[in-house]
Amino acid sequence: MQRDAILPAGGRLDPATAQAAGCEIKALIQLGGETILERTIRALRESGRVRRIVVIGPAELQDHPACADADAVLPEAATGPDNIFLGVEHLAAQADAIDG
């Protein structure tokens, strides 16, 4: 059985860490030539257990290559719980559109 995944990706680094990492968003930290976000999406896809992946984060993620294999990238809401609700609502709306 496949499940959908919601990836909150809006966490920010403190200024000193951001300077050292070369980015302000935690999910975009590079590890071995890939971002944490790319690695996470790839691992979810390769598991065979995930149907749809929704990334929720700042505007910088909207067209970022790290999100290329996500099914949707949504702008972040005001709080972490709001981000999860946003992802659930998006997935439900997509399911309703498919089911008619």
Side-chain angles (χ1 to χ4, degrees):
M1 175 186 221
Q2 288 189 315
R3 305 272 185 201
D4 295 324
I6 299 169
L7 297 178
R12 307 299 196 286
L13 297 167
D14 64 81
T17 306
Q19 184 175 9
C23 63
E24 294 180 10
I25 301 166
K26 292 176 185 178
L28 298 181
I29 293 173
Q30 293 276 329
L31 294 173
E34 284 184 301
T35 66
I36 292 172
L37 184 56
E38 286 171 304
R39 286 172 171 258
T40 303
I41 292 171
R42 181 173 38 79
L44 290 171
R45 292 280 182 223
E46 289 176 356
S47 75
R49 296 176 182 232
V50 176
R51 181 177 54 174
R52 297 179 294 172
I53 299 172
V54 176
V55 174
I56 302 174
E60 296 95 326
L61 294 182
Q62 293 302 310
D63 295 317
H64 197 282
C67 296
D69 289 331
D71 295 291
V73 181
L74 306 177
E76 63 188 337
T79 69
D82 288 343
N83 288 336
I84 299 301
F85 288 126
L86 182 67
V88 169
E89 289 169 4
H90 174 81
L91 290 165
Q94 296 301 308
D96 290 345
I98 292 169
D99 294 338

